[in-house]
Amino acid sequence: MKNYKKYLPLPAPPDEVYLGLTKAQSIQLWTGAEAEFTEEVGTEFSFWDGDIVGKNIELVPGKKIVQQWYFGDEGEPSIVTIKLHEDKKGTSLEFVQTNIPDEDYDDFTAGIEEYFLGGLADFFEEE
């Protein structure tokens, strides 16, 4: 199992980035696909028509999102922590994911960079 960490600068304040990550309508805009999301701890969610599914563990408006992402039958939970740090240009988003299966790591992290982080970057660049 491997861990992944990446920082992404976004030209929007943390509160706006948080809303972009927690409102189903916004998620659908930056993913370009169906998304099911309720901003409530303990609720399950789905991005990209079910390509990413998981459960919300902790939600701190404008600051932090902690989720468990499901990887098939893996025993260890994969935890995603997104922290939103205010900076001069808007927000520095810190994305950390634990327990990514070794055999999935390269493909999965490439997808995170291109679609998840890349989608967010494109979404906030347009505003």
Side-chain angles (χ1 to χ4, degrees):
M1 300 291 241
K2 294 182 178 180
N3 297 336
Y4 171 80
K5 184 175 189 175
K6 182 88 174 183
Y7 287 91
L8 176 68
L10 295 168
D15 288 342
E16 282 184 30
V17 176
Y18 180 85
L19 292 174
L21 289 163
T22 59
K23 301 296 180 208
Q25 190 173 14
S26 295
I27 295 166
Q28 289 181 23
L29 289 173
W30 63 264
T31 63
E34 279 299 309
E36 293 177 26
F37 194 94
T38 303
E39 188 187 347
E40 234 176 89
V41 171
T43 58
E44 295 196 336
F45 61 85
S46 168
F47 297 161
W48 286 281
D49 302 314
D51 285 350
I52 293 177
V53 292
K55 179 170 66 175
N56 290 313
I57 297 171
E58 182 181 0
L59 298 166
V60 181
K63 300 207 178 299
K64 183 164 74 168
I65 297 166
V66 182
Q67 300 170 326
Q68 177 179 348
W69 286 15
Y70 305 144
F71 270 107
D73 299 328
E74 292 297 328
E76 289 288 316
S78 181
I79 304 298
V80 170
T81 303
I82 298 170
K83 292 181 182 175
L84 305 173
H85 306 284
E86 191 170 345
D87 74 12
K88 291 179 290 210
K89 295 181 181 173
T91 301
S92 174
L93 182 147
E94 176 186 341
F95 182 100
V96 177
Q97 184 163 6
T98 64
N99 296 326
I100 301 169
D102 292 350
E103 64 275 10
D104 295 326
Y105 184 84
D106 291 340
D107 286 343
F108 189 77
T109 56
I112 289 296
E113 289 187 20
E114 183 174 349
Y115 299 109
F116 192 96
L117 298 174
L120 276 172
D122 290 346
F123 180 70
F124 284 105
E125 288 295 329
E126 292 171 6
E127 291 192 353

